[in-house]
Amino acid sequence: MENKAKVVVITGASSGIGQATAEAFARQGTKLVIAARNAAALQAVAKTCRELGADVLVVPTDVTDADQVKALAEAASNFGAIDVWVSNVGVGAVGKFQDTPIEAHEHVIRANLIGHMNDAYAVLPIFLKQDRGIFINMISLGGFAAAPYATAYSASKFGLKGFSEALRGELSDHPNIHICDIYPAFIDTPGISHGANYTGRELSAPPPVYDARKVADAVLRVARHPKATTTVGATADLIRFGHFFAPSLSARFMNWFMTTYFKQADATPVTDGNLYAPSSRPGGIDGGLRSGKQRLALGAVAATAAIAIGLIALANTYGRNSRRGRWR
């Protein structure tokens, strides 16, 4: 099937990776169904995508509400046979576990895990009926390694990884239905500035911080050639490797890094961000995280920690292999 005939559904399409993905598909002449809570932001994205050559259907949707997601799937089916569903919604709440309201933890889980399950629950019957379809889960490097100060986010991403793996197993007898996961590294989007922050300190991301359009390109590749696991950015691979061989060490390093950063970060008011309602701040693709001296300082610390974890992991692997050789 030609790209111009495809129908692609994208949730969380009002900014960041979702918007970048919508625009990337629009350039291919795709028929787009875009969803998010922020109707006004969706209309702005739709206008851009139409100018790029796409037919666009806007369906404001809160993915934590299963009925709304079911209605989204029905609307998309009326637009045409669904070829690809990009499950992209993600929210965050940063803060020490005990200092973050339990309601915030619960909402992160509802959006980042239950929301994606709602997506799959709505579209899989359609895929099974038509005996084809590609479901793309946007996870993150947080699915490989937990992040202190973001416990619910970590739980949701680990859970989402397990959900995808289980779903792939269940659908293994359906070779034309694909469950694909994308694991981006740190991405420059408005997500950090829009998220909940209970630390009382300004939030940032350590370099290298990648362009969201790089993730969108990966989604397009997976839509053309389905693949179970795709990482975006070398940092994701390094953290994945380090955590596999030294999970406790990875967690300690991350805690040290986060604690050190917050001690020197500027003060800022505590906020619920966009957890419970769409952000009133402008969306867009970019978050302004790819510049500034502070990014360089953060990057030096983060790179040192990541390299240290990788080297220790290599040493542990070498040590285990050496011991096995002696025992033979």
Side-chain angles (χ1 to χ4, degrees):
M1 180 180 295
E2 296 295 326
N3 280 335
K4 65 181 180 181
K6 287 186 181 294
V7 173
V8 177
V9 179
I10 305 171
T11 62
S14 58
S15 66
I17 291 172
Q19 179 177 344
T21 301
E23 291 184 9
F25 274 113
R27 293 185 182 93
Q28 306 297 316
T30 306
K31 294 181 69 176
L32 285 173
V33 182
I34 58 174
R37 294 175 298 173
N38 192 327
L42 281 178
Q43 292 294 348
V45 174
K47 181 177 183 295
T48 299
C49 290
R50 289 180 183 123
E51 291 170 352
L52 292 171
D55 291 332
V56 186
L57 176 64
V58 173
V59 186
T61 306
D62 183 342
V63 298
T64 66
D65 185 325
D67 289 336
Q68 289 190 37
V69 181
K70 182 179 179 181
L72 168 63
E74 291 172 351
S77 293
N78 292 332
F79 201 48
I82 302 173
D83 298 286
V84 180
W85 186 295
V86 183
S87 189
N88 174 66
V89 167
V91 298
V94 180
K96 283 281 192 180
F97 176 74
Q98 68 276 10
D99 297 334
T100 301
I102 192 63
E103 296 82 8
H105 290 306
E106 291 174 353
H107 199 80
V108 169
I109 298 294
R110 283 199 296 272
N112 293 3
L113 178 56
I114 303 301
H116 288 245
M117 294 175 73
N118 286 339
D119 282 357
Y121 199 81
V123 76
L124 277 183
I126 297 170
F127 284 172
L128 289 166
K129 184 176 180 179
Q130 63 192 30
D131 194 33
R132 65 179 179 83
I134 301 171
F135 186 83
I136 300 176
N137 254 330
M138 193 63 61
I139 304 184
S140 88
L141 58 78
F144 296 135
Y149 289 85
T151 48
Y153 181 87
S154 298
S156 70
K157 296 301 184 178
F158 270 64
L160 189 53
K161 180 176 182 289
F163 169 66
S164 282
E165 290 179 0
L167 205 54
R168 272 194 291 273
E170 288 189 17
L171 294 167
S172 57
D173 292 334
H174 299 272
N176 297 320
I177 299 176
H178 305 276
I179 307 298
C180 307
D181 299 338
I182 307 288
Y183 294 87
F186 300 109
I187 305 299
D188 183 15
T189 75
I192 288 180
S193 63
H194 287 179
N197 180 4
Y198 302 104
T199 66
R201 299 288 179 174
E202 287 188 1
L203 302 180
S204 187
V209 178
Y210 298 90
D211 190 332
R213 297 163 188 83
K214 185 178 179 71
V215 185
D217 290 341
V219 174
L220 259 64
R221 289 195 300 272
V222 169
R224 296 189 192 102
H225 305 289
K227 181 181 176 182
T229 299
T230 299
T231 58
V232 181
T235 308
D237 293 316
L238 180 60
I239 289 177
R240 180 185 187 186
F241 174 80
H243 183 269
F244 180 81
F245 289 105
S248 296
L249 180 64
S250 297
R252 289 198 299 272
F253 262 111
M254 284 300 295
N255 183 64
W256 168 79
F257 170 70
M258 297 293 285
T259 301
T260 300
Y261 168 73
F262 285 128
K263 284 181 179 178
Q264 61 187 10
D266 293 336
T268 192
V270 168
T271 175
D272 292 327
N274 67 347
L275 270 188
Y276 307 113
S279 177
S280 59
R281 299 179 185 179
I285 295 175
D286 303 301
L289 300 174
R290 285 178 288 161
S291 62
K293 295 180 179 179
Q294 186 182 38
R295 305 293 88 76
L296 297 175
L298 281 171
V301 176
T304 301
I307 291 169
I309 292 170
L311 290 174
I312 293 172
L314 280 171
N316 288 344
T317 304
Y318 177 79
R320 283 196 296 270
N321 290 339
S322 297
R323 287 193 293 274
R324 289 192 190 103
R326 290 198 300 270
W327 292 339
R328 287 173 183 166

